Amino acid sequence: MNAAVPLPLDLPELRFTASGDSLVRRSVLPSGVRILSEQVPGARSATVGYWVAVGSRDELPDTFGSTHFLEHLLFKGTPSRTALDIAVSFDAVGGEHNAMTAKEYTCYYAKVQDRDLPMAVDVLSDMLTSSIIDPTEFENERGVILEELAMADDDPSDVTSERFFEAVLGEHPLGRPIGGSPETIEAATRDSVVAHYRANYRAQDLVITVAGAVDHDELVARVQQALTAAGWDLAVEAAPVERRDASHVHIDRGSPLVIVQRPIEQANILMGVTGIAASDDRRSTMAVLNSILGGGMSSRLFQEVREKRGLAYSVYSFSPSYSDAGLFGLYAGCSPAKVGQVAELLLSEFARLGSGGVTEDEMRRAVGQLSGASALALEDSDTRMSRLGRSEITLGEFADLDESLRRLSLVTPTDVRELAAELVSRPLSIAAVGTVDASTFDGIASEKSPGEPVNA
């Protein structure tokens, strides 16, 4: 494969060989269900994912947290399986099963031996199509989710992350917590969650991806059999739902500075700006930039903050991206007395990347790190399954390892410097949790982030 393969929604069948001689196939059923598989030579297990392109950003104001609430409820039983039956199905064969709710999609997945893939397809199909959402289970799970939110609120790094997203993304739906809040979960009704379920879990919404030991024709037949048994009429024709608009959106910053006072030993700091969208042609450049600045033990932030000065144990950068927006953030956890010094170092290294650029040695090291990490990740069928899902739902193209490495090889020091300079010029937001005072950031926030701090 010499280039990324487009995944048009109106193409019924697609077949190609990817790097490592894996066979990738894709079928779009008349009902709109999309099935993708990657058959990996020598694999003895398979990971299967059932995806719907609905996440926390798609919720209405009165249903915040419904997507995550629903994810929990689909494990609680169907007319033919109890919650225990579902759990036993996978435990009895040594398999793994779980789900994840993200800002733009939800995925229910399982990893099993090759011989148990038909069972996994049957159970996941039943869960996704036929959940009872029993009223008693609904109330029980409300309590579970409230405990999950309380657990996250006890984790300073989680709190910092949530406040950072809100500070950078403001009123944009991507800035909302995925799990909602205790108030919205307390207010959630079974009727609203059921309505969310019926509106977004339809044949034309469903994407199924399998990687590892899989025969595509057998997979398609099993999926059709399982969905039909669950009561879906696959003879009714429907086009797959359109992908999200990938046009980059303008985002108004929520706040320049958010501080959450907590009596804890460390202060957690996140500072950053809006980033780039997942479809941006510069995403390989962003990967290299992130690697050089804070992506490993040889990165600038790690060396300057931890190795040379011993100011923090954990320090890194990160760059999550979505269909039409993204973030770029710098994190450190340090003593409250060192917050000002650490924050200045984070920002100065960020700025230096935009003004001074990078060396050829840093470029070689970053490309080598990213290339090796990508290759090692693909040893796991979970990663390959997720790659298929993101390719189908978000990107609309499949790029194998060879294509990804080719794109990385084309990134130049000038590309990195120009992207860094663009990011540095954007309005900065800071989120801090701990025994921290707003005055600590006066020298930073006054220059880059005009406005009043928000104490949360």
Side-chain angles (χ1 to χ4, degrees):
M1 198 172 106
N2 297 317
V5 176
L7 301 172
L9 295 177
D10 59 353
L11 185 64
E13 294 289 337
L14 186 62
R15 176 189 184 122
F16 56 89
T17 301
S19 54
D21 292 326
S22 66
L23 176 63
V24 178
R25 293 185 61 185
R26 174 178 180 258
S27 298
V28 180
L29 304 184
S31 60
V33 175
R34 285 164 281 171
I35 305 170
L36 296 88
S37 69
E38 182 174 9
Q39 186 179 48
V40 181
R44 295 294 304 275
S45 65
T47 303
V48 51
Y50 277 52
W51 306 69
V52 288
V54 58
S56 59
R57 71 173 294 175
D58 303 301
E59 296 162 346
L60 299 173
D62 59 344
T63 63
F64 292 165
S66 293
T67 305
H68 178 244
F69 205 146
L70 180 60
E71 175 222 300
H72 279 239
L73 292 168
L74 293 201
F75 288 86
K76 296 304 173 182
T78 70
S80 59
R81 289 180 175 87
T82 65
L84 180 59
D85 291 335
I86 292 170
V88 167
S89 295
F90 294 101
D91 286 353
V93 299
E96 304 168 3
H97 74 297
N98 211 328
M100 59 179 172
T101 303
K103 293 184 182 287
E104 296 192 315
Y105 55 77
T106 310
C107 179
Y108 305 82
Y109 58 93
K111 185 173 186 176
V112 293
Q113 295 183 77
D114 49 2
R115 67 187 183 190
D116 298 314
L117 181 57
M119 176 276 295
V121 168
D122 289 348
V123 175
L124 290 175
S125 295
D126 190 29
M127 286 171 52
L128 188 125
T129 62
S130 307
S131 177
I132 296 172
I133 312 186
D134 176 78
T136 300
E137 292 288 0
F138 184 89
E139 293 304 323
N140 288 341
E141 209 58 30
R142 190 198 304 273
V144 171
I145 294 171
L146 288 171
E147 292 297 331
E148 183 180 2
L149 294 178
M151 180 178 67
D153 196 50
D154 281 342
D155 186 331
S157 61
D158 279 357
V159 175
T160 312
S161 178
E162 294 290 8
R163 299 293 84 78
F164 177 67
F165 270 75
E166 293 170 0
V168 176
L169 299 174
E171 296 299 317
H172 192 282
L174 286 170
R176 294 196 300 256
I178 291 173
S181 68
E183 294 74 22
T184 61
I185 296 303
E186 287 281 14
T189 66
R190 179 179 180 275
D191 286 346
S192 68
V193 174
V194 169
H196 186 68
Y197 180 37
R198 300 305 177 202
N200 295 290
Y201 284 59
R202 306 165 301 171
Q204 58 264 45
D205 296 296
L206 180 58
V207 172
I208 299 172
T209 62
V210 182
V214 54
D215 179 282
H216 186 79
D217 293 328
E218 292 178 2
L219 171 65
V220 171
R222 192 73 182 204
V223 165
Q224 290 177 307
Q225 177 184 334
L227 295 179
T228 300
W232 277 17
D233 187 354
L234 300 184
V236 176
E237 295 191 7
V241 292
E242 293 293 329
R243 297 187 179 99
R244 298 178 193 274
D245 186 351
S247 303
H248 199 284
V249 296
H250 172 75
I251 293 177
D252 292 320
R253 179 180 56 179
S255 176
L257 179 61
V258 177
I259 292 178
V260 180
Q261 290 288 342
R262 291 283 177 90
I264 52 180
E265 293 298 316
Q266 270 200 327
N268 289 259
I269 316 163
L270 265 173
M271 50 202 313
V273 298
T274 55
I276 64 172
S279 58
D280 195 304
D281 291 337
R282 299 172 296 173
R283 57 186 181 271
S284 293
T285 301
M286 177 64 92
V288 173
L289 184 159
N290 183 62
S291 176
I292 291 171
L293 184 60
M297 294 177 67
S298 64
S299 68
R300 291 186 180 187
L301 292 182
F302 194 94
Q303 288 296 311
E304 290 296 325
V305 177
R306 174 169 163 166
E307 295 297 278
K308 292 183 180 179
R309 295 174 174 84
L311 295 173
Y313 175 76
S314 180
V315 56
Y316 57 85
S317 62
F318 62 105
S319 57
S321 60
Y322 308 97
S323 58
D324 55 1
L327 284 85
F328 186 75
L330 317 171
Y331 170 83
C334 64
S335 164
K338 300 173 183 176
V339 167
Q341 184 182 2
V342 170
E344 290 281 3
L345 280 170
L346 294 178
L347 192 57
S348 65
E349 288 300 322
F350 185 26
R352 189 165 69 89
L353 199 64
S355 60
V358 299
T359 67
E360 290 290 349
D361 183 58
E362 286 179 311
M363 289 293 299
R364 285 192 295 271
R365 192 163 64 237
V367 171
Q369 180 198 42
L370 293 166
S371 300
S374 297
L376 292 175
L378 292 176
E379 294 293 315
D380 189 340
S381 61
D382 296 18
T383 301
R384 291 177 181 265
M385 182 279 291
S386 295
R387 179 176 63 173
L388 287 172
R390 291 193 303 272
S391 297
E392 179 62 43
I393 290 174
T394 303
L395 301 176
E397 67 172 22
F398 178 91
D400 69 357
L401 179 62
D402 291 341
E403 173 60 14
S404 298
L405 299 187
R406 186 189 71 83
R407 292 178 177 182
L408 285 172
S409 71
L410 297 177
V411 178
T412 69
T414 299
D415 295 333
V416 175
R417 179 184 58 78
E418 289 179 349
L419 178 55
E422 179 182 327
L423 296 175
V424 168
S425 71
R426 296 177 179 177
L428 181 75
S429 290
I430 303 171
V433 176
T435 310
V436 185
D437 190 88
S439 62
T440 304
F441 300 99
D442 282 350
I444 300 172
S446 61
E447 178 182 351
K448 290 289 292 181
S449 310
E452 294 298 319
V454 176
N455 285 286

